[in-house]
Amino acid sequence: MAVAASAAPGALGTLQASRARLVAACCARLGPRWRLPGSWTCPRVDSTIWARDWTPAAGGAARQRGYSAEVKTEDELRVRYLEEENRGIVVLGINRAYAKNSLSKNLIKMLSKAVDALQSDKKVRTIIVRSEVPGIFCAGADLKERAKMSSSEVGPFVSKIRAMINEIANLPVPTIAAIDGLALGGGLELALACDIRVAASSAKMGLVETKLAIIPGGGGTQRLPRAIGMSLAKEHISARVLDGQEAKSVGLISHVLEQNQEGDAAYRKALDLAREFLPQGPVAMRVAK
């Protein structure tokens, strides 16, 4: 999400509050399992829902896959190189649970660094971008962090988000976004940068920036028309929020799945799709893309 570089710091606080109310409104349709702690909306996590393929940090007990402020900054992005029959698939797992996977300076830096390493790794055949947090894919830019920036810092921050998203779009191998939850603003722009998008039917997605009197700054105004056509894109740029079924009907995503108990239906489908690319000629796949 882009904020004009000339925006006053006081206005940013207002935008932050508006964003919180907007996220709450978008999530209200998800039902009783969703609640509003403070000014943010997040899902209630049943004790049976755990991160798939997740192991506890060294020296500590396994933590439930929920919202916690204890995640270290180096754990905000989990890069996993899958093995055995999935060798060649790399999973980028966003894990900023306490901030709804919003794009902070640190997370942008980590994503950019990871993508740079993957760019030249000939062993990588497919990349999946997913969330390690139930009910959230990415809620866009970190407005709490942005509210603390001076007006001169906002422009470069938005430029870094856009550059990171462009880097993902320019990866030479197929990329798949697994949308198992909320993808708003910059979160949807991140997904649009991927070649294939799959989502759970309960997921919510939209470019909601205009409700905050700003515009999508991560390429959404270009990539959305390419995905669903100019006319529909102009209709949806009005901050309309779609669920998975609606997104499939307009061509925003390729596959829609009913969410499972683990909360990772889109990721599992993305993994199935990624496996289809593995037997193909790697050079041919890169050139074809």
Side-chain angles (χ1 to χ4, degrees):
M1 296 174 63
V3 175
S6 59
L12 294 175
T14 302
L15 290 179
Q16 178 185 340
S18 299
R19 171 67 175 277
R21 290 193 296 271
L22 178 58
V23 174
C26 293
C27 298
R29 294 169 56 194
L30 292 179
R33 292 183 65 233
W34 286 69
R35 58 188 173 88
L36 187 67
S39 61
W40 289 95
T41 300
C42 66
R44 293 186 184 274
V45 183
D46 297 335
S47 60
T48 55
I49 299 180
W50 294 73
R52 196 162 180 246
D53 303 325
W54 185 82
T55 55
R63 291 195 301 266
Q64 188 172 340
R65 190 184 177 215
Y67 290 87
S68 168
E70 299 178 359
V71 178
K72 297 179 180 179
T73 55
E74 59 266 28
D75 293 330
E76 290 182 349
L77 179 67
R78 294 173 176 170
V79 182
R80 290 189 294 130
Y81 289 74
L82 304 190
E83 298 293 339
E84 299 176 353
E85 72 273 11
N86 295 322
R87 186 181 299 274
I89 300 174
V90 177
V91 179
L92 299 180
I94 304 174
N95 189 46
R96 292 194 78 220
Y98 63 96
K100 315 304 176 287
N101 283 355
S102 57
L103 299 170
S104 64
K105 287 182 178 179
N106 182 66
L107 180 57
I108 293 166
K109 181 179 179 180
M110 294 180 70
L111 279 165
S112 184
K113 182 178 180 180
V115 170
D116 185 60
L118 294 171
Q119 182 86 26
S120 57
D121 190 340
K122 301 300 183 182
K123 296 180 180 178
V124 177
R125 306 289 296 278
T126 308
I127 297 167
I128 298 174
V129 181
R130 68 168 299 196
S131 168
E132 300 283 349
V133 182
I136 294 287
F137 177 74
C138 174
D142 189 334
L143 294 188
K144 288 186 177 180
E145 181 181 76
R146 185 181 291 178
K148 299 176 183 178
M149 299 179 189
S150 66
S151 57
S152 62
E153 293 177 304
V154 174
F157 173 70
V158 174
S159 294
K160 287 180 180 178
I161 292 179
R162 183 164 56 248
M164 178 272 294
I165 290 175
N166 286 339
E167 288 168 1
I168 290 177
N170 292 328
L171 280 165
V173 297
T175 53
I176 307 171
I179 307 172
D180 274 307
L182 203 66
L184 297 180
L188 180 55
E189 290 179 305
L190 178 63
L192 282 167
C194 295
D195 301 313
I196 302 169
R197 288 167 295 282
V198 298
S201 58
S202 58
K204 304 291 181 183
M205 59 201 84
L207 298 179
V208 297
E209 289 88 343
T210 55
K211 282 195 175 182
L212 306 179
I214 55 179
I215 65 170
T221 52
Q222 290 77 50
R223 293 191 177 97
L224 187 61
R226 295 170 193 167
I228 67 175
M230 184 65 72
S231 180
L232 275 175
K234 288 182 176 181
E235 184 177 332
H236 289 282
I237 207 72
S238 64
R240 182 175 296 177
V241 175
L242 306 178
D243 62 26
Q245 294 289 354
E246 292 167 331
K248 176 67 168 62
S249 69
V250 300
L252 180 55
I253 62 174
S254 301
H255 303 274
V256 60
L257 303 309
E258 290 298 320
Q259 189 57 280
N260 57 27
Q261 186 177 11
E262 291 77 14
D264 64 353
Y267 170 65
R268 295 192 188 194
K269 179 63 177 179
L271 200 55
D272 289 339
L273 292 171
R275 292 190 186 107
E276 293 184 25
F277 295 127
L278 296 181
Q280 317 309 326
V283 175
M285 287 296 296
R286 289 170 180 253
V287 174
K289 174 175 173 173

